[in-house]
Amino acid sequence: MTTPLRLGIAGLGTVGIGVVKIVRKKADLLQARTGRPVVITAVSARSRDKDRGVSLSDYAWENDPVALATRDDVDVFVELMGGHEGTAKAATEAALAAGKDVVTANKALLAIHGQALAEQAEANNCVIRYEAAVAGGIPVIKSLTEGLAGNQIKRVMGVMNGTCNYILTRMQDAGLPYDKVFAEADALGYLEADPNLDVGGIDAGHKLALLSAIAFGTKVDFDGVELEGIERISIEDIKLAEDLGFRIKLLGVAQLTGRGLEQRMSPCLVPADSPLGQLKGGTNMVVIEGDDVEQIVLRGPGAGEGPTASAVMGDICDIARGLRLPTFGIPAKVLVSAQAATSNSTAPYYVRVGLLDRPGALAKLALALGDAGVSVDRMRQGHHDGSEAPVLIVTHKTQRRDLDAALTALEATGVLAGEPVVLRIESV
Amino acid sequence: MTTPLRLGIAGLGTVGIGVVKIVRKKADLLQARTGRPVVITAVSARSRDKDRGVSLSDYAWENDPVALATRDDVDVFVELMGGHEGTAKAATEAALAAGKDVVTANKALLAIHGQALAEQAEANNCVIRYEAAVAGGIPVIKSLTEGLAGNQIKRVMGVMNGTCNYILTRMQDAGLPYDKVFAEADALGYLEADPNLDVGGIDAGHKLALLSAIAFGTKVDFDGVELEGIERISIEDIKLAEDLGFRIKLLGVAQLTGRGLEQRMSPCLVPADSPLGQLKGGTNMVVIEGDDVEQIVLRGPGAGEGPTASAVMGDICDIARGLRLPTFGIPAKVLVSAQAATSNSTAPYYVRVGLLDRPGALAKLALALGDAGVSVDRMRQGHHDGSEAPVLIVTHKTQRRDLDAALTALEATGVLAGEPVVLRIESV
């Protein structure tokens, strides 16, 4: 096939411009690898006049992404605008309706509307590709969907929000409190316009929902992801965890249990010397466990112009080469609705509570845990700091709900100085 | 496409039986993912009567792999015999001539005859897939060929022989000498029938040659790989490296320089806290650096029934799904002959020499280095042990040939107690 593959690119931010640069600069390489020219025919963005450091004069301009998506001279609609409603959704649907393939970096759109879009794509013989939506430059969608296709996937885990990992490692390395590092990250432009997308775990949760669907053949179910952000992690927690031989990571975990699909995105303790524990800064890591392959670990930059554009180009090259698969690896109609399972797998937990300086407070804590059937592996009380004493507990394996019951009972006794911090210790 | 994909499997050792088990056990999963049944129609191995723990009675038996490869009821010839001449080569050629696709785990065959086989495959509209030939269960061929197709690859590095990494980490962890750990590995069955394939770096060199071809669009050139084994690494070297903050790994490095394609497989020092430095036991790791993606690190089991069979199944699923690419990513006719470049990139080096107990010996060493233009970063002389004194040198960045010239000149002065150990310090 030597007919050109014609791209229409909507969204000319960092990633969009990164893609434009690659297509211009590496035309020969792309043609050699795909066997056909890869060209841009039209682009679209909010402002036409902005100087983006690269000439766009060779391309038709569309103010309306929907118009771009349906142009006769566009084969692939490259959606790099973001947002799960509004224009990105409308333009993607229009592209599929017009029989165009779609390449996108939009995790929110797919995490929320993935099933409907996948069905629409298949009804129109189109493909939707989204390698850039998960873990930046790491070819994790491809590894999971294709390379490990012979495996029954047991568990998928990942650190998939570089900003959160930056904040947590910076807190650790510099001994700085959360608020200070959050402000630094903000000043460096690392945070989304709505920071809760990052530090609340939502962005990473979108990514986990996409990986779950591929791994387990289930309909993408972002609502089934138990979300917990990193806002309550203190420098104290980070230091205590380090003393115990652990690091705190915003970790996504998806696994199919007897009771359904468990999807968690929450700060967890992982062994300091594990690949996940060693991960620093904005780097991402995904761990895939399969019945045959055992464990594969993929590590790479989770964001940035080059790495994200690299993932977009990988998808474009696949389309140019004629490599076509259903959105989530198997036909959308075959994906099953997963029963969302509230975490019921057992694990040891890290618990930090502040106890009011009252006689018998520690006994009440111990009693509450015992009554709920939570067995304590280690407990340590620190010096009273004013009116409260910090207590660190590491439990034996327990169910989260038993632990929560213990803490609720403890709360009722009136000895708690504040809300406890509860972090799962994940075996990795 | 719902016609079955019919496999003929030659070689029923660990990996072959692993593949048989997966095809039997996961028929539904494979059909769901590929859209068609994946079945075995015929098998071949040296001995028909051996008990392999799985029933083969459903499959036709061929004593001759060439006959198996050309059967009318075989679509994919799965070559798991190994060896780069003789039957494996003849059967692969016969399969391609008969229009069969080939899936193989045979790194030696492809490293030596890859160009001719790729040309034959393309002339017959067949594909050759070999994910299992490099780094076991890690989907590295796929990541490099497809996921990173938009990148100009800068460098590929890897620890790709689990046995060597086992030996080196076991020496380090247990403080045992090479000979003792080698004997252990032998007793555990970790070594190839010809151990030089492992410890001489040949097996890993084959793998590096395959990655180079894909990364740089060059004809696979195993003869161009500078090979050095781990046989001369002593426990002393491992300890000294650790003191300096490094670990010793049998590391493959391929990069295209201004003077040609540099391919090295040799023991190197890497930072102890880098992902490569942290790698223990039989696990493999491949690091890929591209102009856009920056650095991707892939880690996983390098051998074993499950992981290797997982890689074979990934290839089989791709073929079942109709995903077809040239053997090395671009058509064989387009691959260029690389100019093999003797290592000329500069690097710091670790040098350990034994100096005879003679006045002026250390001065002669210093002079020889200075005369050859090799600048010393650190030098340390240990206590005389009988008649010789161990000297450790860490050089500044230098060319290997200048260092070799210095050591040759030193040799001529008669102060050397034995052959120096020279290890490159690789920046990773």
Side-chain angles (χ1 to χ4, degrees), chain A residues 51-268:
Chain A
D51 179 7
R52 297 178 170 91
V54 56
S55 168
L56 301 171
S57 59
D58 293 348
Y59 319 130
W61 179 273
E62 293 281 358
N63 286 314
D64 178 7
V66 174
L68 176 92
T70 53
R71 284 175 66 102
D72 285 342
D73 60 2
V74 163
D75 303 310
V76 181
F77 176 57
V78 183
E79 191 276 291
L80 301 171
M81 299 178 284
H84 62 83
E85 300 297 340
T87 315
K89 179 162 177 272
T92 300
E93 288 168 346
L96 295 172
K100 317 293 189 187
D101 293 324
V102 172
V103 172
T104 179
N106 194 329
K107 55 224 79 165
L109 178 67
L110 287 176
I112 294 167
H113 304 292
Q115 180 65 26
L117 291 171
E119 288 178 14
Q120 194 194 354
E122 287 160 37
N124 290 281
N125 290 312
C126 302
V127 296
I128 303 176
R129 299 294 304 260
Y130 52 99
E131 188 65 83
V134 180
I138 305 175
V140 56
I141 305 279
K142 180 170 276 289
S143 295
L144 191 56
T145 315
E146 303 169 35
L148 303 178
N151 284 265
Q152 190 100 52
I153 301 300
K154 297 295 182 188
R155 186 168 64 156
V156 178
M157 294 187 288
V159 169
M160 295 183 286
N161 182 283
T163 302
C164 287
N165 203 50
Y166 167 82
I167 291 174
L168 292 171
T169 50
R170 172 89 178 129
M171 286 171 72
Q172 168 139 24
D173 292 346
L176 291 170
Y178 177 82
D179 290 345
K180 192 141 193 165
V181 176
F182 179 90
E184 275 185 10
D186 200 13
L188 288 165
Y190 288 180
L191 288 159
E192 301 267 357
D194 173 6
N196 192 41
L197 289 175
D198 286 315
V199 298
I202 297 168
D203 165 83
H206 288 148
K207 296 168 184 170
L208 184 69
L210 296 175
L211 293 182
S212 291
I214 303 169
F216 306 113
T218 49
K219 290 181 181 168
V220 58
D221 178 24
F222 172 65
D223 289 338
V225 180
E226 292 176 52
L227 281 182
E228 198 182 317
I230 62 166
E231 308 93 331
R232 296 190 56 236
I233 303 298
S234 70
I235 180 69
E236 194 61 26
D237 294 315
I238 286 175
K239 286 178 181 166
L240 287 168
E242 184 77 25
D243 288 347
L244 295 165
F246 294 95
R247 301 256 163 81
I248 299 176
K249 299 285 165 193
L250 178 65
L251 186 68
V253 181
Q255 58 192 130
L256 208 53
T257 72
R259 296 170 73 170
L261 176 62
E262 191 173 316
Q263 299 181 92
R264 287 178 274 117
M265 178 58 66
S266 60
C268 292

Side-chain angles (χ1 to χ4, degrees), chain A residues 22 26 32-33 137 142 145-147 149-151 291-293 295-301 306-307 310 314 321 325 329-330, chain B residues 22 26 32-33 137 142 145-147 149-151 215 291-293 295-301 306-307 310 314 321 325 329-330:
Chain A
I22 294 174
K26 293 191 261 188
R33 290 198 178 147
K142 180 170 276 289
T145 315
E146 303 169 35
N151 284 265
D291 58 349
D292 286 303
V293 79
Q295 188 185 71
I296 296 285
V297 180
L298 311 172
R299 180 187 195 275
S310 164
R321 283 164 155 172
L325 284 181
I330 62 175
Chain B
I22 294 175
K26 294 192 262 190
R33 291 198 178 145
K142 180 170 275 289
T145 314
E146 303 169 35
N151 285 264
D291 58 348
D292 287 305
V293 80
Q295 189 186 70
I296 296 284
V297 180
L298 312 172
R299 181 189 196 274
S310 165
R321 283 163 154 174
L325 285 180
I330 62 174

Side-chain angles (χ1 to χ4, degrees), chain B residues 314-330:
Chain B
D315 285 343
I316 290 171
C317 287
D318 269 8
I319 291 173
R321 283 163 154 174
L323 308 181
R324 303 176 73 80
L325 285 180
T327 309
F328 297 104
I330 62 174

